[in-house]
Amino acid sequence: MQDYSLEAPSPNVSSRPYLGSGKMTNPSRNVSQILASSAILLLLASSSNAQLSWEEAYAKAGQAVSQLTLADKVNILTGQGSSSRCIGNTFAVPSINFPGFCLEDSPVGVRLASNASTFPAAMNVASTFNRTLMRQRGEAMGAEFRGKGVNVALGPMMNTMRAPAAGRNWEGFGADPFLSGEGAFETITGLQSQGVQATAKHFVNNEQEHFRTTSTSNVDDRTQHEIYTIPFLRSVQAGVAAIMCSYNQINGTYACENDKTLNGILKGEFGFQGYVMSDWGATHSTAPAVMAGLDVTMPGDLVSGTNSSFFGTTLLASVQNGTVPESRVDDMALRTLAAWFKLGQDSGYPPVNFDSHNNSAPDDQRINVQDDHKVLIREIGKASTVLLKNIAGTLPFANLKTIGIIGNGAGPSSHPLNTFVGDDGVLAMGWGSGTGTFPYLINPLDAITARAAQDGTTVTSSLSDTDLAAAAAVASGKDVALVFITADSGEGSALIEGNAGDRNDLQAWHNGDALVQQVAQFSTNTVVVVNSVGPIVVEAWIDHPNVTAVVWSGLPGQEAGNAVTDILFGAYNPSGRLPYTIGKSITDYPAQVIYTSTTPILSIPYSEGIFIDYRHFDAAGIAPRFEFGGSPRGGVAPTGPGSSLDPWLHDPVITVHFTIKNTGKVAGHEIPQLYVSLPASTNSPPRMLKGFDSVFIAPGQSQGVTIQLSRFDVATWDVVQQRWQVPAGKIGISVGASSRDIRLNGSV
Ligand SMILES: *[C@@H]1O[C@H](CO)[C@@H](O)[C@H](O)[C@H]1NC(C)=O
Ligand SMILES: *[C@@H]1O[C@H](CO)[C@@H](O)[C@H](O)[C@H]1NC(C)=O
Ligand SMILES: *[C@@H]1O[C@H](CO)[C@@H](O)[C@H](O)[C@H]1NC(C)=O
Ligand SMILES: *[C@@H]1O[C@H](CO)[C@@H](O)[C@H](O)[C@H]1NC(C)=O
Ligand SMILES: *[C@@H]1O[C@H](CO)[C@@H](O)[C@H](O)[C@H]1NC(C)=O
Ligand SMILES: *[C@@H]1O[C@H](CO)[C@@H](O)[C@H](O)[C@H]1NC(C)=O
Ligand SMILES: *[C@@H]1O[C@H](CO)[C@@H](O)[C@H](O)[C@H]1NC(C)=O
């Protein structure tokens, strides 16, 4: 439906902040400096519950910290241990009415709580390429965390999909740093609009589950700046309260005691004002961690089940014997209390009202925080669906008398409440601490059956993945055969069907390829629905003439069945785009999970550098099966390059303006994407995403789109000068419907 034509460019001012070179703020500050400048700010801030600026919050925090004993300060920074009421809690300081924090998972909603929603995974909201939906998801999740009395939400997660099989990829926003950064920015802005502290995690280079606590990610400086830290930079720009350091080492130093990444990049270059907390058990020392920039240790135990912490009395003693200066502890407490004041949690914030260990316990009020969020969850489920194949108008369904439904992934799940088990029934999230606790889970079989009944259509099903005879029987003679296949992954702390967090390969689970092939042998109208944590290899059947449509549904959360039904029956025109590349083979990807280790600390060389995912496929000339940003909808004839683009260079920004026309017959969203090509001297990938929009257009109508670039968007990290530089030479700008379907080209 998309057709791009050109309008005259117009100059404008960038809305994205321009990042200057050099250090933004001093990584540590002391109380007297803060107090000296705080009096006026306090007057301004005291009457309002609305979110404060960091300056206003530091003014309040400075007053509070000046009243505290060393023990009080240490209590603010130390988790109570692994048996506390929330997944983590810090200690209260009654003298300043500080209740301590309740910290709770996860990036898809309040985990381990009843009557709370499970939202679509970040990977799905990324595939909407729609900032409004990203923001609304954050707002809705924020309202639920607040309603349960959670101070600190442990999300969003923004590790990059470097290795396609990595277990926690689905918790993040995909394989591109720009898209991940926008996802992080909108999610955090949404969460924090409700007064909840968001946590950007896991900082940094935590891109596989195998050996996550006994590996070092060895990453060069340019790659660190241009890929892995970009979503964290956008988090800081969103005013994120907390950043969680990760389990792994970086260049041989643990992430939670890495001076270069914490003090250097995060608090120095990015000017992060909030606090750094450890992942659960990721603290390995006291003074080295504290002096490298760690502010809060979670859950507080040294070893699970002991009362001995790297903080707590150990930190107290370290100050008393001079190993840690008290000014540093002041800075840690300032940062932590400033986050609390910034979000307005010092006034009117709901107390914790659930018990993460037992939702039936007397101290769990089972407050219903779901509101009408199921409407948004279903909307994101639809908007994130990617239609990868649709020949001869297979979809949407029309005039069907019979539907056959095949595959375990179409049916109910036997364990929707236990988040560390695996792949049975509709797959709507992965496993591990990044999950929610489903209040209910709509499966496709029920939803399709209900919708089909409206048309008098008969539905027959076989929910076995392995009974190929039953699959053939259900597929035969039906107007359409729908086959559901899945691929699951999660946190390394559970082993599911032989997969230790990371997937062992990129094949569909439960021999899904054989199931599709069997169905396609017996139905000329086979529609494949994929619920997956990331790419799967589809070569065994994608070109099969009887496979007429492929619907990529991802991990849509509690409304999974309703969302896919809306797509199949035409209630919504699918506009989702892949936030990663689907390769023809796992070996086409530039980086892989390392599954074995013969050394105490496994080295993970990030030797592919900035060439991850489509950047590698483009540079190496490898044809993907489905490209990043793509959705090759059947019947759409690409219109080839349009007239040349002549973007306006308006120092310091570039404004690109173009027009999209819906040449199809159905209203829907188009996702124009802007890619930048830097001069060859920079050794950069051929194209890098630096802008996108989601534009609703009626049939026959045109819509102007403006995308602005700052100098940062066309800069590279100069490792010698240690600053961002705009390269000399011609900068190419292309606009298209995917990373490979480019419709307009220009340069500045
Ligand atoms: C890791 O080592 C590489 C190669 O020496 C260097 O470019 C990079 O800055 C180092 N990063 C950290 C965080 O130490
Ligand atoms: C830890 O401290 C708590 C509270 O003081 C106590 O009940 C518990 O027995 C202690 N646990 C251990 C392992 O010492
Ligand atoms: C200071 O105290 C800490 C915590 O008890 C201890 O680990 C460290 O060895 C002490 N250092 C000195 C120099 O006494
Ligand atoms: C949860 O709390 C209820 C009510 O107090 C109690 O009956 C039940 O045994 C508890 N369950 C667990 C697993 O502790
Ligand atoms: C959900 O909340 C309702 C009140 O709105 C309550 O009656 C019900 O028991 C709660 N359900 C669960 C599973 O906690
Ligand atoms: C497609 O389906 C029809 C009907 O079942 C079957 O006869 C034909 O062999 C199938 N085509 C292939 C290539 O399997
Ligand atoms: C995003 O999605 C919403 C809901 O479908 C839609 O109204 C809007 O036009 C889309 N685009 C943007 C930029 O919000």
Side-chain angles (χ1 to χ4, degrees):
M1 69 170 244
Q2 62 278 73
D3 176 50
Y4 291 79
S5 61
L6 185 69
E7 275 183 11
S10 58
N12 213 327
V13 179
S14 174
S15 56
R16 295 191 69 230
Y18 170 67
L19 184 77
S21 55
K23 309 248 180 220
M24 282 179 170
T25 62
N26 189 326
S28 85
R29 47 178 88 228
N30 71 48
V31 179
S32 53
Q33 277 171 0
I34 297 291
L35 284 177
S37 62
S38 65
I40 295 173
L41 291 172
L42 265 180
L43 284 174
L44 289 173
S46 57
S47 60
S48 165
N49 275 344
Q51 205 179 120
L52 305 185
S53 70
W54 279 116
E55 288 72 18
E56 292 163 341
Y58 266 93
K60 287 193 169 191
Q63 292 282 9
V65 170
S66 70
Q67 300 167 39
L68 300 181
T69 65
L70 177 60
D72 290 337
K73 287 178 266 194
V74 167
N75 273 339
I76 288 171
L77 308 170
T78 306
Q80 290 182 15
S82 48
S83 57
S84 65
R85 182 171 177 177
C86 303
I87 204 76
N89 290 83
T90 56
F91 290 97
V93 181
S95 65
I96 56 164
N97 295 320
F98 176 70
F101 290 161
C102 161
L103 306 95
E104 190 59 59
D105 297 322
S106 82
V108 296
V110 191
R111 179 166 163 253
L112 304 174
S114 66
N115 267 334
S117 308
T118 298
F119 289 77
M123 195 68 102
N124 271 60
V125 82
S127 71
T128 70
F129 281 73
N130 182 313
R131 292 181 176 88
T132 305
L133 293 175
M134 293 171 180
R135 174 81 60 100
Q136 289 174 345
R137 174 174 169 276
E139 289 166 352
M141 290 195 300
E144 299 201 9
F145 278 106
R146 183 190 180 98
K148 292 287 183 187
V150 175
N151 300 88
V152 185
L154 300 175
M157 128 85 199
M158 54 198 70
N159 292 114
T160 304
M161 195 192 107
R162 169 180 179 264
R168 299 185 76 171
N169 282 341
W170 61 274
E171 293 185 47
F173 300 95
D176 180 81
F178 181 85
L179 180 60
S180 297
E182 299 311 289
F185 184 94
E186 297 299 342
T187 305
I188 289 163
T189 304
L191 281 166
Q192 295 200 160
S193 74
Q194 307 302 305
V196 175
Q197 299 180 47
T199 309
K201 69 183 190 182
H202 311 85
F203 194 75
V204 63
N205 309 132
N206 185 186
E207 272 87 27
Q208 70 168 54
E209 283 299 280
H210 278 80
F211 312 104
R212 68 179 182 181
T213 60
T214 53
S215 62
T216 171
S217 300
N218 297 334
V219 186
D220 71 83
D221 194 36
R222 180 178 178 193
T223 300
Q224 194 68 284
H225 279 84
E226 295 188 15
I227 305 282
Y228 296 99
T229 58
I230 291 289
F232 293 94
L233 169 62
R234 290 295 279 149
S235 302
V236 172
Q237 290 173 333
V240 74
I243 294 185
M244 182 188 288
C245 50
S246 52
Y247 287 117
N248 55 288
Q249 302 183 357
I250 304 128
N251 287 6
T253 303
Y254 275 110
C256 292
E257 56 186 54
N258 196 307
D259 179 66
K260 187 158 185 194
T261 52
L262 298 180
N263 280 338
I265 295 176
L266 198 56
K267 294 180 176 178
E269 287 172 30
F270 295 175
F272 175 52
Q273 312 273 296
Y275 58 96
V276 174
M277 81 168 89
S278 69
D279 203 339
W280 268 231
T283 304
H284 293 271
S285 65
T286 303
V290 165
M291 298 317 290
L294 180 69
D295 300 304
V296 172
T297 191
M298 293 306 301
D301 318 67
L302 173 61
V303 178
S304 183
T306 75
N307 281 336
S308 171
S309 173
F310 284 116
F311 282 22
T313 51
T314 314
L315 178 57
L316 195 75
S318 300
V319 174
Q320 282 161 348
N321 73 12
T323 337
V324 171
E326 186 160 1
S327 60
R328 172 64 186 120
V329 176
D330 288 345
D331 175 52
M332 295 155 78
L334 261 176
R335 289 173 170 277
T336 308
L337 288 179
W340 184 64
F341 283 117
K342 178 175 168 57
L343 277 303
Q345 293 187 354
D346 56 315
S347 165
Y349 202 77
V352 183
N353 53 58
F354 74 110
D355 182 338
S356 69
H357 297 282
N358 185 351
N359 296 157
S360 304
D363 65 347
D364 194 321
Q365 297 169 33
R366 292 174 288 285
I367 292 176
N368 190 349
V369 294
Q370 299 169 87
D371 203 342
D372 63 349
H373 298 155
K374 66 180 182 186
V375 176
L376 177 67
I377 292 168
R378 184 168 177 168
E379 176 83 16
I380 297 171
K382 293 183 282 193
S384 61
T385 305
V386 188
L387 188 53
L388 288 179
K389 184 175 180 181
N390 186 24
I391 57 175
T394 300
L395 298 179
F397 292 157
N399 308 317
L400 299 180
K401 291 193 176 57
T402 51
I403 299 176
I405 295 182
I406 299 107
N408 176 266
S413 175
S414 61
H415 40 54
L417 295 182
N418 186 339
T419 55
F420 271 95
V421 292
D423 187 15
D424 177 43
V426 57
L427 185 71
M429 65 181 187
W431 75 75
S433 62
T435 51
T437 304
F438 286 115
Y440 63 84
L441 176 55
I442 306 286
N443 69 69
L445 177 59
D446 286 352
I448 293 168
T449 302
R451 175 63 186 79
Q454 294 173 19
D455 305 334
T457 307
T458 309
V459 175
T460 321
S461 64
S462 163
L463 295 180
S464 167
D465 286 337
T466 50
D467 187 343
L468 296 184
V474 168
S476 296
K478 303 303 184 319
D479 291 340
V480 62
L482 271 170
V483 52
F484 285 77
I485 59 174
T486 59
D488 200 359
S489 74
E491 207 169 350
S493 30
L495 179 74
I496 309 284
E497 300 188 36
N499 295 259
D502 304 313
R503 285 186 280 166
N504 294 335
D505 53 46
L506 296 189
Q507 300 311 124
W509 280 33
H510 308 160
N511 216 356
D513 286 345
L515 190 67
V516 174
Q517 285 171 317
Q518 173 77 348
V519 171
Q521 203 180 318
F522 290 90
S523 169
T524 54
N525 193 16
T526 299
V527 173
V528 182
V529 178
V530 182
N531 284 107
S532 169
V533 289
I536 63 171
V537 172
V538 296
E539 297 308 301
W541 44 263
I542 191 68
D543 285 331
H544 193 295
N546 286 351
V547 173
T548 50
V550 177
V551 176
W552 204 265
S553 169
L555 301 173
Q558 69 191 41
E559 289 281 331
N562 285 333
V564 75
T565 301
D566 288 339
I567 297 291
L568 295 171
F569 286 83
Y572 190 91
N573 185 0
S575 60
R577 295 290 199 271
L578 290 172
Y580 47 74
T581 300
I582 298 180
K584 293 179 179 171
S585 157
I586 191 169
T587 56
D588 287 347
Y589 294 87
Q592 305 297 342
V593 171
I594 300 178
Y595 297 95
T596 55
S597 176
T598 54
T599 47
I601 299 292
L602 169 70
S603 280
I604 305 177
Y606 280 39
S607 41
E608 72 290 343
I610 59 177
F611 293 86
I612 56 167
D613 200 70
Y614 70 92
R615 296 159 186 248
H616 166 72
F617 281 78
D618 289 350
I622 299 169
R625 172 51 65 178
F626 295 110
E627 72 253 30
F628 175 89
S631 164
R633 283 173 284 175
V636 178
T639 55
S643 47
S644 75
L645 185 69
D646 185 22
W648 201 280
L649 177 63
H650 179 78
D651 195 25
V653 300
I654 302 165
T655 298
V656 180
H657 190 78
F658 51 92
T659 300
I660 310 174
K661 185 174 185 188
N662 183 351
T663 57
K665 295 186 179 65
V666 186
H669 289 87
E670 179 51 48
I671 313 285
Q673 297 157 45
L674 186 152
Y675 292 86
V676 161
S677 305
L678 297 182
S681 60
T682 63
N683 295 315
S684 298
R687 277 183 294 283
M688 298 180 285
L689 183 74
K690 296 292 176 176
F692 61 81
D693 205 346
S694 163
V695 188
F696 188 80
I697 319 176
Q701 298 297 301
S702 296
Q703 175 88 47
V705 179
T706 301
I707 296 178
Q708 293 173 321
L709 302 176
S710 70
R711 283 194 286 166
F712 178 62
D713 292 321
V714 296
T716 60
W717 178 254
D718 185 322
V719 299
V720 178
Q721 304 283 330
Q722 288 289 296
R723 52 180 290 184
W724 294 95
Q725 299 266 39
V726 176
K730 200 164 85 167
I731 292 168
I733 291 174
S734 31
V735 176
S738 82
S739 61
R740 290 186 166 226
D741 182 1
I742 300 299
R743 307 296 178 85
L744 293 171
N745 281 296
S747 63
V748 293

